[in-house]
Amino acid sequence: MNTQKYVDIAKTYLELAKLRVTTLVALTVVAGYYLGAKGTVDWLVLLNTIFGTILVAGGTSALNQLIEVDIDARMKRTRRRPLPTGRITTLHALAFGTGISIAGIVHLSYFVNLLTGLLSALTLITYVFFYTPMKRKSSLSTLVGAVPGALPPVGGWAAARGEVGFEAWLLFAILFLWQIPHFLAIAWLYREDYARGGLKILTVSDTQGFSTVRHIVANTFALLVVSLLPTFVGLSGKTYFVGAIVLGMLFLYAAIRVARERSNKNAKNLLLTSVLYLPALFFLMSFDKTWF
């Protein structure tokens, strides 16, 4: 029995499912569930929610790579992925992505509730069939892609409540706004690679970066304002409010530094700040949750 062969196959499929991205999606679902839960957490429902979400998120990533295999093959940061290197065939990728996506949607619909299943299906559809092809045509794809990226905590809330209220859409707004400076920081660092791949990303056409930094600063400022609203709607308390101000100001400072000097160093700093900001904000929100 060639154990290493099976280990390599498993690694290939995990890479196709983008394990790190899928884990981040699962964490935002957990935050949404916890914030939406009344009283004690139903661990069985939560575990079923996490499992179904991982399946759908992994399947979505696989289908995305299948559609973009030609782009990935041209870009330095993606050309070592499973499909461009031939480690997996397009047929196997299609079967894998479709299979676990459907399994995840069915699992969420049956073991959690129908609304959560429908939200996961909406996430997949908007990402694979709207955002992915739009990247070849318009820089507005960034805004479109932020929609499925912001839906997971709404799904977590729906899993806990069986409904989606204003608070859930507030979580959506926070994650939506966060994605813009986060993605544009990445897009600035890899703008030449995106151009090589033929993607119509803002940083490709905006060679001087003036429009890019305006979007970064505007969305980071809007995020600071919106991130304070959980306290006003009774979702979190004063500790969160103070923490959200501090985190938001640090994020905004990093954005302003990029606007003042459009360098890779400042873009990397903004990216790092964004990566630290999101889990810190959701942790504070959960820690200071106002039970209701």
Side-chain angles (χ1 to χ4, degrees), residues 4-105:
Q4 187 59 45
K5 176 183 177 181
Y6 292 104
V7 170
D8 291 341
I9 291 173
K11 286 181 178 179
T12 296
Y13 278 102
L14 287 175
E15 189 177 345
L16 193 64
K18 292 185 181 178
L19 183 60
R20 284 184 292 181
V21 174
T22 299
T23 302
L24 179 60
V25 171
L27 289 174
T28 61
V29 167
V30 171
Y33 182 92
Y34 179 74
L35 289 166
K38 292 182 178 180
T40 57
V41 171
D42 188 328
W43 291 102
L44 182 59
V45 173
L46 177 57
L47 288 173
N48 277 311
T49 303
I50 294 171
F51 179 69
T53 298
I54 288 173
L55 289 178
V56 178
T60 299
S61 293
L63 293 173
N64 169 255
Q65 290 181 65
L66 178 63
I67 295 170
E68 293 190 337
V69 62
D70 60 319
I71 294 173
D72 286 348
R74 293 195 295 267
M75 293 172 58
K76 291 181 179 179
R77 66 188 292 260
T78 56
R79 64 189 181 190
R80 302 305 302 171
R81 285 177 174 175
L83 283 164
T85 56
R87 283 179 285 147
I88 190 172
T89 65
T90 55
L91 182 59
H92 282 128
L94 177 62
F96 173 73
T98 304
I100 65 172
S101 294
I102 293 174
I105 293 169

Side-chain angles (χ1 to χ4, degrees), residues 231-254:
T231 298
F232 291 100
V233 300
L235 186 58
S236 293
K238 294 180 181 178
T239 300
Y240 165 78
F241 184 81
V242 174
I245 292 176
V246 173
L247 290 171
M249 291 300 293
L250 289 172
F251 200 1
L252 183 59
Y253 173 71

Side-chain angles (χ1 to χ4, degrees), residues 39 76 89 93 131 139 176 181 183 198 206 242 257:
K76 291 181 179 179
T89 65
Y131 169 61
S139 61
F176 181 94
F183 174 76
D206 181 32
V242 174
R257 285 185 64 185

